[in-house]
PDB file of all heavy atoms in Angstrom:
ATOM      1  N   ASP A 415     111.529 183.145 115.810  1.00 98.00           N
ATOM      2  CA  ASP A 415     112.386 183.337 114.638  1.00 98.00           C
ATOM      3  C   ASP A 415     113.820 183.485 115.137  1.00 98.00           C
ATOM      4  O   ASP A 415     114.061 184.002 116.244  1.00 98.00           O
ATOM      5  CB  ASP A 415     111.977 184.591 113.868  1.00 98.00           C
ATOM      6  CG  ASP A 415     110.540 184.535 113.392  1.00 98.00           C
ATOM      7  OD1 ASP A 415     110.146 183.489 112.844  1.00 98.00           O
ATOM      8  OD2 ASP A 415     109.809 185.534 113.575  1.00 98.00           O
ATOM      9  N   PHE A 416     114.808 183.075 114.288  1.00 98.00           N
ATOM     10  CA  PHE A 416     116.208 183.081 114.742  1.00 98.00           C
ATOM     11  C   PHE A 416     117.125 183.698 113.683  1.00 98.00           C
ATOM     12  O   PHE A 416     116.954 183.478 112.480  1.00 98.00           O
ATOM     13  CB  PHE A 416     116.676 181.652 115.041  1.00 98.00           C
ATOM     14  CG  PHE A 416     116.070 181.063 116.283  1.00 98.00           C
ATOM     15  CD1 PHE A 416     114.824 180.441 116.235  1.00 98.00           C
ATOM     16  CD2 PHE A 416     116.719 181.154 117.502  1.00 98.00           C
ATOM     17  CE1 PHE A 416     114.251 179.910 117.373  1.00 98.00           C
ATOM     18  CE2 PHE A 416     116.153 180.625 118.654  1.00 98.00           C
ATOM     19  CZ  PHE A 416     114.910 180.002 118.586  1.00 98.00           C
ATOM     20  N   THR A 417     118.086 184.445 114.194  1.00 97.00           N
ATOM     21  CA  THR A 417     119.196 184.916 113.353  1.00 97.00           C
ATOM     22  C   THR A 417     120.453 184.155 113.761  1.00 97.00           C
ATOM     23  O   THR A 417     120.508 183.553 114.845  1.00 97.00           O
ATOM     24  CB  THR A 417     119.432 186.421 113.537  1.00 97.00           C
ATOM     25  OG1 THR A 417     119.754 186.691 114.922  1.00 97.00           O
ATOM     26  CG2 THR A 417     118.202 187.214 113.127  1.00 97.00           C
ATOM     27  N   ILE A 418     121.462 184.168 112.901  1.00 96.00           N
ATOM     28  CA  ILE A 418     122.731 183.517 113.223  1.00 96.00           C
ATOM     29  C   ILE A 418     123.866 184.483 112.945  1.00 96.00           C
ATOM     30  O   ILE A 418     123.841 185.241 111.969  1.00 96.00           O
ATOM     31  CB  ILE A 418     122.917 182.205 112.427  1.00 96.00           C
ATOM     32  CG1 ILE A 418     124.194 181.489 112.892  1.00 96.00           C
ATOM     33  CG2 ILE A 418     122.939 182.448 110.921  1.00 96.00           C
ATOM     34  CD1 ILE A 418     124.347 180.081 112.347  1.00 96.00           C
ATOM     35  N   ASP A 419     124.822 184.487 113.846  1.00 93.00           N
ATOM     36  CA  ASP A 419     125.973 185.372 113.689  1.00 93.00           C
ATOM     37  C   ASP A 419     127.192 184.719 114.334  1.00 93.00           C
ATOM     38  O   ASP A 419     127.086 183.678 114.994  1.00 93.00           O
ATOM     39  CB  ASP A 419     125.696 186.730 114.341  1.00 93.00           C
ATOM     40  CG  ASP A 419     126.496 187.852 113.680  1.00 93.00           C
ATOM     41  OD1 ASP A 419     127.472 187.555 112.965  1.00 93.00           O
ATOM     42  OD2 ASP A 419     126.123 189.024 113.889  1.00 93.00           O
ATOM     43  N   TYR A 420     128.336 185.352 114.158  1.00 90.00           N
ATOM     44  CA  TYR A 420     129.557 184.866 114.779  1.00 90.00           C
ATOM     45  C   TYR A 420     129.570 185.178 116.269  1.00 90.00           C
ATOM     46  O   TYR A 420     128.979 186.166 116.720  1.00 90.00           O
ATOM     47  CB  TYR A 420     130.791 185.518 114.153  1.00 90.00           C
ATOM     48  CG  TYR A 420     130.973 185.272 112.689  1.00 90.00           C
ATOM     49  CD1 TYR A 420     130.692 186.265 111.756  1.00 90.00           C
ATOM     50  CD2 TYR A 420     131.453 184.042 112.213  1.00 90.00           C
ATOM     51  CE1 TYR A 420     130.873 186.057 110.401  1.00 90.00           C
ATOM     52  CE2 TYR A 420     131.635 183.826 110.865  1.00 90.00           C
ATOM     53  CZ  TYR A 420     131.343 184.838 109.959  1.00 90.00           C
ATOM     54  OH  TYR A 420     131.521 184.617 108.617  1.00 90.00           O
ATOM     55  N   PHE A 421     130.278 184.325 117.016  1.00 92.00           N
ATOM     56  CA  PHE A 421     130.541 184.596 118.423  1.00 92.00           C
ATOM     57  C   PHE A 421     131.938 184.073 118.718  1.00 92.00           C
ATOM     58  O   PHE A 421     132.221 182.897 118.477  1.00 92.00           O
ATOM     59  CB  PHE A 421     129.522 183.915 119.342  1.00 92.00           C
ATOM     60  CG  PHE A 421     129.710 184.240 120.798  1.00 92.00           C
ATOM     61  CD1 PHE A 421     129.089 185.339 121.360  1.00 92.00           C
ATOM     62  CD2 PHE A 421     130.530 183.467 121.606  1.00 92.00           C
ATOM     63  CE1 PHE A 421     129.270 185.657 122.698  1.00 92.00           C
ATOM     64  CE2 PHE A 421     130.728 183.773 122.938  1.00 92.00           C
ATOM     65  CZ  PHE A 421     130.094 184.881 123.490  1.00 92.00           C
ATOM     66  N   VAL A 422     132.818 184.932 119.220  1.00 85.00           N
ATOM     67  CA  VAL A 422     134.198 184.543 119.496  1.00 85.00           C
ATOM     68  C   VAL A 422     134.336 184.109 120.946  1.00 85.00           C
ATOM     69  O   VAL A 422     133.997 184.870 121.870  1.00 85.00           O
ATOM     70  CB  VAL A 422     135.182 185.689 119.190  1.00 85.00           C
ATOM     71  CG1 VAL A 422     136.608 185.280 119.534  1.00 85.00           C
ATOM     72  CG2 VAL A 422     135.089 186.097 117.723  1.00 85.00           C
ATOM     73  N   HIS A 423     134.801 182.875 121.134  1.00 89.00           N
ATOM     74  CA  HIS A 423     135.002 182.361 122.489  1.00 89.00           C
ATOM     75  C   HIS A 423     136.029 183.252 123.195  1.00 89.00           C
ATOM     76  O   HIS A 423     137.149 183.442 122.697  1.00 89.00           O
ATOM     77  CB  HIS A 423     135.519 180.927 122.428  1.00 89.00           C
ATOM     78  CG  HIS A 423     135.469 180.192 123.721  1.00 89.00           C
ATOM     79  ND1 HIS A 423     136.217 180.557 124.825  1.00 89.00           N
ATOM     80  CD2 HIS A 423     134.755 179.089 124.111  1.00 89.00           C
ATOM     81  CE1 HIS A 423     135.979 179.728 125.811  1.00 89.00           C
ATOM     82  NE2 HIS A 423     135.093 178.831 125.414  1.00 89.00           N
ATOM     83  N   PRO A 424     135.687 183.838 124.346  1.00 90.00           N
ATOM     84  CA  PRO A 424     136.583 184.813 124.990  1.00 90.00           C
ATOM     85  C   PRO A 424     137.885 184.232 125.523  1.00 90.00           C
ATOM     86  O   PRO A 424     138.834 184.980 125.792  1.00 90.00           O
ATOM     87  CB  PRO A 424     135.730 185.365 126.134  1.00 90.00           C
ATOM     88  CG  PRO A 424     134.734 184.282 126.420  1.00 90.00           C
ATOM     89  CD  PRO A 424     134.446 183.637 125.105  1.00 90.00           C
ATOM     90  N   ILE A 425     137.955 182.907 125.681  1.00 86.00           N
ATOM     91  CA  ILE A 425     139.172 182.297 126.230  1.00 86.00           C
ATOM     92  C   ILE A 425     139.995 181.625 125.138  1.00 86.00           C
ATOM     93  O   ILE A 425     141.182 181.893 124.988  1.00 86.00           O
ATOM     94  CB  ILE A 425     138.820 181.286 127.342  1.00 86.00           C
ATOM     95  CG1 ILE A 425     138.121 181.995 128.495  1.00 86.00           C
ATOM     96  CG2 ILE A 425     140.084 180.574 127.844  1.00 86.00           C
ATOM     97  CD1 ILE A 425     137.617 181.068 129.581  1.00 86.00           C
ATOM     98  N   THR A 426     139.365 180.764 124.359  1.00 81.00           N
ATOM     99  CA  THR A 426     140.116 180.009 123.346  1.00 81.00           C
ATOM    100  C   THR A 426     140.278 180.767 122.041  1.00 81.00           C
ATOM    101  O   THR A 426     141.155 180.453 121.250  1.00 81.00           O
ATOM    102  CB  THR A 426     139.419 178.676 123.034  1.00 81.00           C
ATOM    103  OG1 THR A 426     138.166 178.940 122.360  1.00 81.00           O
ATOM    104  CG2 THR A 426     139.153 177.889 124.296  1.00 81.00           C
ATOM    105  N   GLY A 427     139.430 181.776 121.809  1.00 73.00           N
ATOM    106  CA  GLY A 427     139.492 182.496 120.546  1.00 73.00           C
ATOM    107  C   GLY A 427     138.789 181.785 119.406  1.00 73.00           C
ATOM    108  O   GLY A 427     138.790 182.275 118.272  1.00 73.00           O
ATOM    109  N   GLU A 428     138.176 180.620 119.672  1.00 80.00           N
ATOM    110  CA  GLU A 428     137.486 179.894 118.613  1.00 80.00           C
ATOM    111  C   GLU A 428     136.299 180.712 118.105  1.00 80.00           C
ATOM    112  O   GLU A 428     135.541 181.292 118.867  1.00 80.00           O
ATOM    113  CB  GLU A 428     136.983 178.545 119.135  1.00 80.00           C
ATOM    114  CG  GLU A 428     136.249 177.728 118.077  1.00 80.00           C
ATOM    115  CD  GLU A 428     135.723 176.408 118.599  1.00 80.00           C
ATOM    116  OE1 GLU A 428     135.891 176.137 119.808  1.00 80.00           O
ATOM    117  OE2 GLU A 428     135.132 175.650 117.806  1.00 80.00           O
TER     118      GLU A 428
END
Side-chain angles (χ1 to χ4, degrees):
D415 301 314
F416 288 85
T417 60
I418 185 170
D419 207 343
Y420 300 105
F421 184 89
V422 178
H423 193 295
I425 298 174
T426 68
E428 180 181 2

